[in-house]
Amino acid sequence: MAKKQTAGRDNLGNFAPKFAELNDDVLFGEVWSREKELNLRDRSMITVSALITKGAFTQLPAHMKLAKEHGITKDEIVEVITQLAFYVGWPNAWSAFNIAKDIWTD
């Protein structure tokens, strides 16, 4: 089950309250909680892939941590990034690997 998300309110609640509400309650509250339709592990893999594709490396560490919590292994994230390298660019893969290496190295 998806845990209650408060990152929006914690980081932007005073500055952009409606955006924070949508982030926490709609995106993470309603969409991520639809586990019968798509489990958290798969949602994490899709999200990480989308962030790598877009080059959204500021958001990637938090989502990679969630992916690890949702059961994605080091070998799986390596395979995902390797696959993406050929479709979204070698530099994006390098950047993603540097983040993943920090998260999956215990």
Side-chain angles (χ1 to χ4, degrees), residues 2 5 10 13 18 25 34 36 39 43 57 59 63 65 67 83 106:
Q5 179 63 256
D10 294 346
K18 187 61 177 180
D25 298 345
R34 295 170 45 87
K36 285 193 306 189
N39 65 44
R43 286 184 192 279
F57 299 112
Q59 290 77 28
H63 280 282
K65 288 175 188 168
Q83 175 81 15
D106 294 320

Side-chain angles (χ1 to χ4, degrees), residues 5-75:
Q5 179 63 256
T6 62
R9 286 181 178 86
D10 294 346
N11 293 301
L12 294 173
N14 292 330
F15 187 75
K18 187 61 177 180
F19 182 86
E21 174 191 335
L22 292 169
N23 181 81
D24 295 351
D25 298 345
V26 178
L27 174 58
F28 285 97
E30 293 179 27
V31 176
W32 276 80
S33 68
R34 295 170 45 87
E35 292 181 53
K36 285 193 306 189
E37 292 77 12
L38 196 63
N39 65 44
L40 292 174
R41 183 183 184 285
D42 293 345
R43 286 184 192 279
S44 282
M45 193 171 297
I46 292 164
T47 302
V48 165
S49 295
L51 293 173
I52 293 169
T53 300
K54 191 157 182 58
F57 299 112
T58 301
Q59 290 77 28
L60 194 55
H63 280 282
M64 281 191 170
K65 288 175 188 168
L66 272 178
K68 186 177 179 183
E69 288 175 24
H70 295 155
I72 295 175
T73 67
K74 175 198 161 279
D75 291 341

